[in-house]
Amino acid sequence: MGKGSKMLEKCGKVGRGRKYYRLAGASNGEGVEQPSDGSIAKLVLESEWAVEVEEALWKGRIEWKAELVNKVLKRLWNHGPKALQFFKHLDRHPTYIHSPSSFHHAIDIAARMHDYNSAWAFFSRMRSLRCGPSPKSFAILAERYASNGKPHRAVRAFLSMHLHGCPQDLHSFNTLLDILCKSHRVDMAHHLFKTLFSRFKPDAVSYNIIANGYCLLKRTPLALQVLKEMVHRGIQPTLVSYNTLLKGYFRSNQIKDAWAFYLEMQKRKCQIDVVTYTTMIHGFGVAGDVKKSRRVFHEMVKEGVVPSVATYNALIQVLCKKDTVENAVLVFEDMVTEGVCLPNLVTYNLVIRGLCHVGDMERALGFMGRMEEHGLRPSVQTYNVVIRYFCDAGEIEKGLDMFGKMGDGSCLPNLDTYNVLISAMFMRKKSEDLVVAGKLLIEMVDRGFLPRKFTFNRVLDGLVITGNQEFAKEILRMQSRCGRIVRRLKL
DNA sequence: ATAGGGTTAG
């Protein structure tokens, strides 16, 4: 990390206050060392002018590789406009050509910001470079359409694949069904499933996807019906089908049914696997029956099924929520000493949340520091948890400090971060806090996030009440640029 | 990135 940032030199101000940047390559005797993805991301974030980025990126003797580009895009994930700026400039590079995976990141980022024009332009660009688009490209776009509340456009995009030289097969059909189900449009998915039945000949995967969709909606009778129909059509349910329904019972709080189903699975000699056990541990725990969770955990070990990280994470979450965080920490330490599987980012986030929840911020921060022992860095979710609990405890300054630590480098704030902080700015009833809230609102829009109407209105009200009329007007103008309905406001 | 288990909003 350190090496990379040293190679990035900011060469002072030249001319009309314009900063020039140079990405220096440090010679180490064996050749030229490359700047890190972190230093490149930082350069893109700091430069204000497009030309600066272009010069630095092209003339910096950087040996571009798809892997490096993808890493940079991931670092800029929560600053969509900058990410696309970087991608588009590099697309004009004299020799470097973007890889399909980088195009996919760019499509994802553009579509997330509702910038479908750019997204589709990337499709055309891929086509003219003869490197796509592939079914995966369509899956990415369709998922964004669906999660942005435009499921019909997702379907249309997917069904137009063949016009772009992509095969339309059962594979891609299943992907579309899954996308619709995961965005809770199970009705639409099931309808499509029936309509295009003879064209695609659904398989076990298709049925499992629809069944899972109904489970997500807590409609287990319908899920069961789908699986029965599958049997009727001569397709055998798989272990995935059973695990899906088991999870569905827990989700809709049918604990007795879940238990009965589990016993039935054992009786029928299904090869119960680690997923089944993890589902049971999580399900019982969330329902408040920690004893049963532990019992299932031991039963699993007795049966010779090796717990995965997800199994440990399920247990740790359950202990945090329904038992004590101390016991959760004991399991964490067991993991580390026994080494069957090592804690991952999720594990850390669970323990940190657990500690925050009981008000032990000190220890939570301690775990945050320990993450690098396992080669991990705090994620944006880690920061969000800590910031949220600092703010909830009234320690707004500490929350803002933590936010500041994100700002100076490795982890850009996301929509949740801004929402948490903006809410916190109303707690102290201080005029200055509301100005900060306004600034955060502007910053988040700059970075490609679309605040909810509620957020706009709250900040506007706050600014008006504290007499910041001019600032309120500025935010109002920004709101209309965002396409959010402007509320009548007397100014 | 064709399906099932583990962070997230009370």
Side-chain angles (χ1 to χ4, degrees):
Chain A
M1 281 301 294
K3 275 185 204 163
S5 47
K6 259 181 221 159
M7 283 184 287
L8 170 67
E9 295 169 16
K10 196 186 284 184
C11 305
K13 293 193 175 192
V14 185
R16 300 162 299 166
R18 226 178 105 181
K19 284 179 238 157
Y20 277 80
Y21 294 84
R22 189 160 65 90
L23 281 160
S27 183
N28 58 6
E30 294 160 13
V32 173
E33 216 179 301
Q34 289 292 303
S36 69
D37 52 299
S39 64
I40 296 171
K42 212 168 176 187
L43 165 86
V44 176
L45 284 172
E46 284 175 359
S47 57
E48 290 148 42
W49 297 30
V51 198
E52 294 169 357
V53 188
E54 207 155 290
E55 283 174 356
L57 295 183
W58 292 16
K59 296 176 185 170
R61 289 178 298 159
I62 301 172
E63 199 187 316
W64 291 104
K65 290 252 171 51
E67 199 196 351
L68 177 63
V69 175
N70 291 344
K71 278 185 181 170
V72 175
L73 287 173
K74 279 181 189 160
R75 281 191 180 263
L76 297 173
W77 204 257
N78 287 320
H79 199 323
K82 286 286 188 185
L84 292 186
Q85 185 190 42
F86 165 73
F87 181 86
K88 287 175 179 174
H89 278 139
L90 204 51
D91 193 36
R92 290 196 288 270
H93 191 280
T95 53
Y96 181 73
I97 293 174
H98 277 309
S99 77
S101 57
S102 305
F103 270 107
H104 287 162
H105 285 317
I107 290 168
D108 203 14
I109 292 167
R112 190 185 54 168
M113 294 192 295
H114 305 86
D115 183 1
Y116 301 111
N117 287 335
S118 293
W120 282 109
F122 295 143
F123 273 77
S124 312
R125 181 76 178 132
M126 281 181 99
R127 200 151 195 214
S128 63
L129 291 171
R130 298 180 193 284
C131 74
S134 64
K136 189 174 168 176
S137 326
F138 284 91
I140 290 165
L141 184 66
E143 193 187 318
R144 287 300 174 187
Y145 271 134
S147 63
N148 290 339
K150 301 181 190 307
H152 286 103
R153 297 192 69 179
V155 175
R156 225 189 317 154
F158 219 90
L159 295 180
S160 73
M161 274 170 58
H162 60 288
L163 303 176
H164 298 82
C166 280
Q168 266 175 328
D169 52 9
L170 182 56
H171 242 252
S172 46
F173 183 57
N174 284 341
T175 305
L176 176 62
L177 294 179
D178 196 42
I179 286 167
L180 292 173
C181 285
K182 298 259 163 73
S183 56
H184 294 191
R185 301 308 301 262
V186 187
D187 47 347
M188 197 181 286
H190 202 173
H191 182 255
L192 211 62
F193 175 97
K194 290 172 192 159
T195 314
L196 299 176
F197 193 90
S198 54
R199 183 165 156 201
F200 289 114
K201 309 269 191 297
D203 61 359
V205 174
S206 328
Y207 281 101
N208 288 343
I209 288 167
I210 303 290
N212 184 51
Y214 282 122
C215 287
L216 292 175
L217 299 182
K218 303 186 184 184
R219 303 189 64 175
T220 45
L222 283 173
L224 191 58
Q225 201 179 307
V226 168
L227 295 179
K228 278 182 177 163
E229 192 200 313
M230 167 182 186
V231 176
H232 187 246
R233 299 258 179 193
I235 300 173
Q236 273 306 106
T238 62
L239 186 53
V240 174
S241 322
Y242 292 119
N243 286 340
T244 300
L245 194 57
L246 182 66
K247 167 93 178 159
Y249 284 133
F250 280 117
R251 178 182 277 271
S252 48
N253 211 24
Q254 298 170 261
I255 312 299
K256 285 214 172 87
D257 290 324
W259 183 246
F261 193 74
Y262 172 69
L263 293 179
E264 189 66 26
M265 281 172 78
Q266 282 184 326
K267 210 161 83 185
R268 290 205 208 164
K269 302 225 169 55
C270 293
Q271 287 298 316
I272 288 178
D273 69 354
V274 60
V275 177
T276 318
Y277 284 114
T278 306
T279 306
M280 295 289 287
I281 291 165
H282 187 253
F284 274 118
V286 169
D289 198 341
V290 179
K291 267 188 189 164
K292 226 159 195 165
S293 288
R294 290 202 123 119
R295 205 179 300 160
V296 172
F297 190 85
H298 289 121
E299 190 176 314
M300 156 181 204
V301 175
K302 203 181 73 193
E303 293 288 322
V305 177
V306 182
S308 67
V309 199
T311 316
Y312 277 102
N313 290 345
L315 187 61
I316 286 174
Q317 188 197 24
V318 156
L319 293 173
C320 285
K321 277 193 173 161
K322 305 288 178 178
D323 199 73
T324 63
V325 72
E326 296 309 326
N327 284 335
V329 170
L330 285 178
V331 172
F332 180 93
E333 302 298 356
D334 272 355
M335 268 181 99
V336 177
T337 51
E338 286 177 21
V340 180
C341 48
L342 292 174
N344 64 11
L345 191 61
V346 177
T347 323
Y348 270 99
N349 285 345
L350 286 166
V351 172
I352 289 169
R353 172 173 296 107
L355 288 167
C356 287
H357 196 74
V358 296
D360 199 344
M361 300 306 287
E362 287 289 314
R363 270 214 290 169
L365 296 181
F367 271 91
M368 221 168 145
R370 273 180 70 179
M371 292 177 85
E372 56 178 313
E373 284 175 27
H374 294 102
L376 302 165
R377 271 195 331 228
S379 64
V380 66
Q381 285 87 353
T382 319
Y383 282 104
N384 288 351
V385 167
V386 174
I387 291 173
R388 180 187 301 269
Y389 279 96
F390 269 136
C391 291
D392 282 355
E395 306 212 66
I396 313 281
E397 291 308 326
K398 289 189 179 171
L400 285 170
D401 279 353
M402 198 49 82
F403 178 72
K405 282 187 187 148
M406 303 173 79
D408 62 282
S410 53
C411 181
L412 290 174
N414 68 8
L415 186 65
D416 291 336
T417 321
Y418 284 106
N419 283 334
V420 167
L421 270 177
I422 288 175
S423 303
M425 292 302 108
F426 291 84
M427 289 171 68
R428 295 189 291 200
K429 316 276 177 221
K430 281 163 72 174
S431 168
E432 307 95 84
D433 281 3
L434 289 161
V435 176
V436 174
K439 285 181 178 163
L440 287 167
L441 194 66
I442 289 171
E443 186 176 282
M444 74 190 278
V445 171
D446 276 347
R447 294 183 177 198
F449 297 111
L450 192 54
R452 287 172 303 173
K453 227 188 309 179
F454 170 79
T455 311
F456 271 116
N457 289 339
R458 207 145 73 113
V459 173
L460 281 168
D461 283 341
L463 287 172
V464 171
I465 289 169
T466 52
N468 287 293
Q469 258 66 12
E470 285 309 310
F471 197 22
K473 276 182 196 164
E474 191 184 329
I475 288 184
L476 233 125
R477 281 193 292 274
M478 186 181 75
Q479 185 182 19
S480 54
R481 275 206 311 279
C482 290
R484 282 290 189 235
I485 297 156
V486 180
R487 177 172 167 235
R488 280 175 212 288
L489 195 70
K490 292 192 191 96
L491 283 174

